[in-house]
Amino acid sequence: MKNVVLLSSSYSGSTLLSMLVCSHPNVIGFGDTYNYQFVDLDDTRCTCGASPSYTCPIRLEIENRMRTSGADFEWLTSNPTPIFDFLRTNRNAISLSRKAAWVPLFRSLPDSARLRVLSDYYRENKIFMAALAKIGDYSHYFDGCKTLLRLELLRTIFPETKVVHLIKNPNAYLHSFLKRKQRHDHGIVNGWFRYNASAHEYREILGPENYLLVTFEELTKKPEQVLQEIDRFMGVPEREGSVEQWMDMGKIHVIGSETKNFFRQVDEKAPKWKTDLNAGQLAYIKKRVAETSWLHPVFPDMSSIHPH
């Protein structure tokens, strides 16, 4: 079972991409599945139709297989990063355990030290991947939890891990964020830049052959071409035809959107940021993009955006 990790800041289309990638018959994934402690359980729904999502037959089968193999695993208290068992229901402790600020510390440790200190964590994840390999004809796990620390830790036992880095136009991202949460504009934008800069570092860490950058805008405009590129990158057979032909929702097990054709409407909604964001917001983002050498080529049309 090969490990492919999705890195994406929130509100950037990660659930959508997970659904589309996991529509491939050789790929399984669960989206951002490690959030049971933060949500109303009765409101969660798996795209296969199971509601609540933790009653999904595939999830239950994995849980049972892991327990049979000796792992005390339960979806409701699972965590993408190491945490003491007695803290698995403590929201503050869970949030702290997922902080990217831990990455430099663990990166400084040799693999031997990681394996020794986090032996239970690595054992659980090895059993998890083994369980995935036994439930169907899957060759790849698409890990959609987006946690930088999880990627940093798991590349110790899965050194051939690949990364799909999904990035959304920062103007559209700020607009999406502000529709849901009201926070200081610069803080939101700076957080976006920090996360994506850290994600981009894995191009050098893992090697360019194991890193693929995908933009949300290209995904929504040309989904078939982008998914075929991802298929080639992952090493699974390319699919022919249209996304509509590929999507069998009963065989996809992602927590999130129930609307399989959502991507067909996104490119019509995205330009709202051009009128909704103010001049100061647009100017600040334009300046930050211009200052970021690797990012400027990704969004070259930023130079043509003039604050109104």
Side-chain angles (χ1 to χ4, degrees):
M1 178 68 69
K2 296 181 179 179
N3 190 43
V4 182
V5 173
L6 170 62
L7 292 181
S8 172
S9 53
S10 57
Y11 309 123
S12 295
S14 59
T15 299
L16 171 65
L17 182 58
S18 289
M19 290 170 58
L20 294 172
V21 172
C22 293
S23 67
H24 195 290
N26 298 132
V27 182
I28 187 169
F30 305 100
D32 192 357
T33 196
Y34 296 98
N35 281 322
Y36 285 115
Q37 303 95 332
F38 301 155
V39 298
D40 183 344
L41 295 179
D42 293 333
D43 287 342
T44 63
R45 180 183 177 89
C46 179
T47 46
C48 74
S51 181
S53 60
Y54 61 84
T55 63
C56 164
I58 291 292
R59 284 183 170 80
L60 293 177
E61 183 177 352
I62 293 169
E63 191 174 274
N64 290 333
R65 284 184 178 275
M66 291 185 68
R67 289 179 177 175
T68 300
S69 299
D72 185 17
F73 179 84
E74 186 177 4
W75 285 108
L76 297 181
T77 56
S78 60
N79 200 56
T81 52
I83 191 171
F84 292 113
D85 288 345
F86 69 89
L87 293 175
R88 287 180 179 265
T89 58
N90 185 304
R91 180 166 183 161
N92 291 330
I94 291 167
S95 297
L96 180 62
S97 74
R98 301 180 186 185
K99 291 290 186 182
W102 292 105
V103 170
L105 171 62
F106 285 106
R107 190 174 289 170
S108 68
L109 296 177
D111 288 355
S112 58
R114 292 191 194 187
L115 291 169
R116 184 170 60 254
V117 173
L118 304 174
S119 57
D120 290 343
Y121 175 74
Y122 285 123
R123 178 175 176 271
E124 179 180 285
N125 279 282
K126 286 180 179 179
I127 294 175
F128 178 75
M129 295 293 276
L132 290 179
K134 295 177 181 178
I135 62 172
D137 297 325
Y138 302 114
S139 59
H140 291 69
Y141 174 53
F142 194 68
D143 187 338
C145 79
K146 305 174 293 186
T147 305
L148 290 164
L149 178 57
R150 178 174 174 81
L151 168 59
E152 179 58 38
L153 294 176
L154 288 189
R155 70 185 183 90
T156 302
I157 55 174
F158 304 117
E160 296 182 355
T161 288
K162 291 180 177 286
V163 167
V164 176
H165 182 187
L166 175 65
I167 193 167
K168 190 175 190 178
N169 182 305
N171 292 310
Y173 169 78
L174 177 61
H175 184 260
S176 294
F177 199 108
L178 291 176
K179 286 195 301 182
R180 297 168 174 84
K181 298 181 180 180
Q182 292 299 319
R183 293 184 183 174
H184 189 267
D185 299 350
H186 287 191
I188 297 170
V189 173
N190 292 339
W192 182 93
F193 275 92
R194 282 194 302 272
Y195 178 92
N196 286 292
S198 296
H200 186 256
E201 287 179 0
Y202 283 97
R203 186 180 189 278
E204 301 302 323
I205 294 172
L206 299 175
E209 70 279 5
N210 292 319
Y211 170 93
L212 178 66
L213 180 65
V214 174
T215 68
F216 175 75
E217 288 70 29
E218 285 296 301
L219 175 67
T220 56
K221 291 176 182 176
K222 301 185 295 184
E224 287 83 8
Q225 293 93 318
V226 171
L227 288 172
Q228 286 169 344
E229 182 183 12
I230 294 175
D231 289 346
R232 291 192 296 271
F233 169 73
M234 292 174 59
V236 296
E238 288 183 50
R239 292 166 285 181
E240 298 181 355
S242 67
V243 170
E244 285 85 358
Q245 294 173 304
W246 302 340
M247 300 293 284
D248 183 347
M249 302 302 285
K251 296 180 179 179
I252 302 173
H253 305 282
V254 173
I255 296 177
S257 173
E258 301 173 31
T259 309
K260 64 182 179 181
N261 291 322
F262 178 69
F263 63 90
R264 295 299 187 189
Q265 301 141 23
V266 173
D267 56 340
E268 299 171 5
K269 299 177 181 178
K272 285 186 177 181
W273 60 260
K274 293 184 178 180
T275 54
D276 291 354
L277 296 185
N278 62 46
Q281 292 167 333
L282 292 171
Y284 184 71
I285 293 174
K286 181 178 176 181
K287 175 177 176 291
R288 289 298 310 271
V289 170
E291 294 171 345
T292 308
S293 59
W294 69 270
L295 189 58
H296 189 250
V298 180
F299 298 109
D301 59 341
M302 283 286 185
S303 58
S304 64
I305 297 173
H306 301 286
H308 59 275

